Amino acid sequence: MSCTAHTRVLENTMLTITRAIRILIDESTERDGDLELRDGVVSTGRTHTEPGEILDASGCVVTPGLVNAHHHLLQSAFRTLPGTRGVAMRDWLPTMAAAYARAGVDAGLAYAAASVGVAEGLLCGVTTVADHHLTWPSADHSGTNQNSGSQNSGSQKITSQTNASDSVAIATATADAARALGGRLVFVRGSARDDAQEAAASAEAIVRALLPRTGDGMLQLAVGPAGVHSDSRETFELLAEVAEKYGLQRRTQANEQVDVAIALEKYGRRPLDLLEDWGWLQPGVTLAHLCDVTGDEIRRLAASGITATHAPGCDLPMGWGIAPVAALRAAGITVGLGTSGGGSNDAGHLLADARLAMQVAPLVGPPISARGVLGMAMAGSSAGLGRTELGNLRAGSAADLCVWDVSGIADAGVADPVAGLLWANPGRRPRHVVVAGQVVVRDYTLVNDDEHDLVARLKARVPLAE
Ligand SMILES: [Zn+2]
């Protein structure tokens, strides 16, 4: 069974985007005019039959939907926590863990946090989000839910004997939250110091429960330990077995500063040496962060066939450095873009982080063009998910797109409206967002739920989110 070939089939749905001043088909192809979407995919050309619903894109640039390759949706409930900004990882971890324990991680919290995270993403143009879920209820602390953080240092020894049915409930709630809003979700069964056997059993239980729901392409499943700093060789190997058995993509985090420091301290080796030995430098694996990599490591990564995820909105504030993205790309590595979670990056606004990526690139190498960075947030991210139908608007691809109004004052005088998406108007949001041919954001407003109700539901579940 494979989770990588998805086509959304919607009978008899037509949506026509008209009069766009520019349509970005992919990183290197653009045109003006109309775009016809039929049955959830981009039509092969104007059919001049019934136009269906018409979305007027006058004064707007149309792009493929953005793909957030790295998020921790649960952390959307724990943003700007006192004691988590400007601190070392060893202090960040227990503060986050204590907040999770106070709230109690269960399906209800997963649903409320994922609803907010997915909704925020959609309102910012993110049509697909990969949720690397690392925090699970622990059977040996029943009722207190002692949990591990997203980037465990060696300072905390937490055993997580995850109850498989609890973890299935959390995964299901997250999937339900995304589906209710109309966004695509990649649920990554993560691990952060979980017991290896428990993590693998939980991953398998999640796959068995949710794989039947992946056929329409709105849900994808993957696995991923948090990194060599937190998880053992056994966890990497057992989760790889689950991935192999069910045809899942694999994802992990590597070479943020703490990862390198702990690998050296614990094993006397660098993280990529360990990942190579443990069978995780292979096609189908995506590595997030990669801040601290040597030239030799970049060559080895390129030869291995992995893909990468750049997450500058997390890496910079955490003080982890700037990944050498231009060098990674020049070596032939496909690089996507992710925000990481609300514990380190308080916004799930991928376009804002694309702007940041573009702005900081010249500090560590040659500049990257706006189209290059947009390409990372589109096809770069989707390639790492094995989803070539996402992140572009070529005929037959998924009908996921954003309509960006560039007619306002912040875009006045912009000569290149595609480059202007990043250079001008920081914090911009799309006027309309379409996923699988369905309008999910219309005139800056969620179609399938009320934004303020989502906020209220999270506040009711996590009183500290005030
Ligand atoms: Zn992360």
Side-chain angles (χ1 to χ4, degrees):
M1 273 182 282
S2 170
C3 274
T4 57
H6 305 274
T7 309
R8 174 85 157 152
V9 179
L10 289 168
E11 298 296 322
N12 302 318
T13 59
M14 274 286 297
L15 179 66
T16 305
I17 316 293
T18 61
R19 312 202 309 181
I21 59 172
R22 201 75 66 87
I23 302 171
L24 191 64
I25 304 294
D26 56 37
E27 183 179 332
S28 54
T29 316
E30 47 201 83
R31 62 173 176 80
D32 56 13
D34 298 353
L35 189 70
E36 208 176 82
L37 313 174
R38 179 183 289 275
D39 301 337
V41 300
V42 178
S43 294
T44 46
R46 280 308 301 262
T47 54
H48 296 287
T49 55
E50 288 177 35
E53 186 189 346
I54 291 175
L55 215 50
D56 184 357
S58 304
C60 297
V61 171
V62 174
T63 69
L66 306 181
V67 179
N68 187 344
H70 187 66
H71 202 319
H72 309 284
L73 290 175
L74 187 74
Q75 293 177 11
S76 298
F78 305 97
R79 304 197 246 197
T80 71
L81 279 186
T84 62
R85 290 296 169 276
V87 300
M89 208 63 207
R90 65 179 172 276
D91 299 321
W92 183 92
L93 278 166
T95 306
M96 292 298 291
Y100 299 146
R102 274 198 304 278
V105 177
D106 61 11
L109 177 60
Y111 190 91
S115 297
V116 163
V118 170
E120 181 189 24
L122 289 173
L123 289 164
C124 297
V126 174
T127 51
T128 301
V129 59
D131 175 25
H132 198 162
H133 191 102
L134 297 170
T135 311
W136 303 95
S138 170
D140 55 353
H141 292 83
S142 53
T144 59
N145 288 302
Q146 181 73 15
N147 292 293
S148 45
S150 85
Q151 309 275 346
N152 277 281
S153 72
S155 63
Q156 270 207 319
K157 177 66 185 168
I158 297 167
T159 55
S160 176
Q161 301 201 341
T162 303
N163 179 315
S165 69
D166 285 351
S167 67
V168 169
I170 285 172
T172 303
T174 307
D176 288 346
R179 186 170 290 267
L181 290 160
R184 294 187 200 264
L185 175 79
V186 182
F187 188 83
V188 186
R189 201 300 175 187
S191 163
R193 299 192 145 239
D194 296 5
D195 174 85
Q197 302 279 348
E198 291 278 350
S202 156
E204 179 129 21
I206 288 169
V207 173
R208 283 172 183 255
L210 293 182
L211 204 56
R213 293 172 49 175
T214 60
D216 64 2
M218 298 301 288
L219 174 67
Q220 179 181 354
L221 302 171
V223 293
V228 301
H229 58 276
S230 65
D231 290 288
S232 66
R233 177 178 195 138
E234 187 186 11
T235 302
F236 277 86
E237 288 179 348
L238 291 180
L239 288 179
E241 279 176 22
V242 176
E244 172 79 32
K245 183 171 173 185
Y246 295 100
L248 310 180
Q249 300 294 114
R250 291 185 274 160
R251 312 175 76 74
T252 189
Q253 308 176 116
N255 291 50
E256 64 272 28
Q257 283 175 343
V258 66
D259 190 55
V260 176
I262 291 171
L264 285 172
E265 180 187 309
K266 207 166 154 185
Y267 302 97
R269 307 182 66 193
R270 286 176 61 84
L272 299 182
D273 300 331
L274 296 167
L275 287 174
E276 190 161 33
D277 275 7
W278 298 356
W280 274 66
L281 288 196
Q282 290 179 7
V285 173
T286 302
L287 305 177
H289 302 298
L290 292 177
C291 300
D292 174 11
V293 283
T294 66
D296 177 59
E297 286 176 331
I298 291 172
R299 281 186 290 279
R300 284 164 55 204
L301 288 171
S304 74
I306 60 97
T307 55
T309 302
H310 185 33
C314 163
D315 299 338
L316 271 84
M318 295 302 282
W320 293 342
I322 304 167
V325 173
L328 293 168
R329 281 160 55 97
I333 298 167
T334 299
V335 182
L337 199 69
T339 57
S340 200
S344 58
N345 177 0
D346 305 284
H349 195 315
L350 194 66
L351 195 81
D353 287 4
R355 186 172 198 265
L356 178 64
M358 182 179 73
Q359 290 175 319
V360 299
L363 298 178
V364 292
I368 309 174
S369 70
R371 284 170 177 77
V373 179
L374 286 169
M376 286 164 54
M378 304 180 321
S381 291
S382 60
L385 296 167
R387 301 287 296 273
T388 51
E389 86 281 20
L390 304 180
N392 73 82
L393 292 173
R394 294 189 287 271
S397 287
D400 295 6
L401 58 82
C402 303
V403 179
W404 309 89
D405 190 335
V406 295
S407 65
I409 198 79
D411 290 291
V414 166
D416 178 343
V418 173
L421 289 178
L422 292 190
W423 287 114
N425 197 353
R428 81 167 70 239
R429 288 181 169 196
R431 174 177 286 279
H432 311 301
V433 178
V434 175
V435 181
Q438 308 287 310
V439 180
V440 295
V441 172
R442 188 188 299 275
D443 287 321
Y444 305 101
T445 306
L446 289 174
V447 169
N448 296 317
D449 210 329
D450 180 84
E451 190 175 339
H452 297 100
D453 287 350
L454 297 174
V455 176
R457 275 177 252 155
L458 182 65
K459 266 190 181 169
R461 180 62 184 77
V462 187
L464 58 85
E466 284 171 349

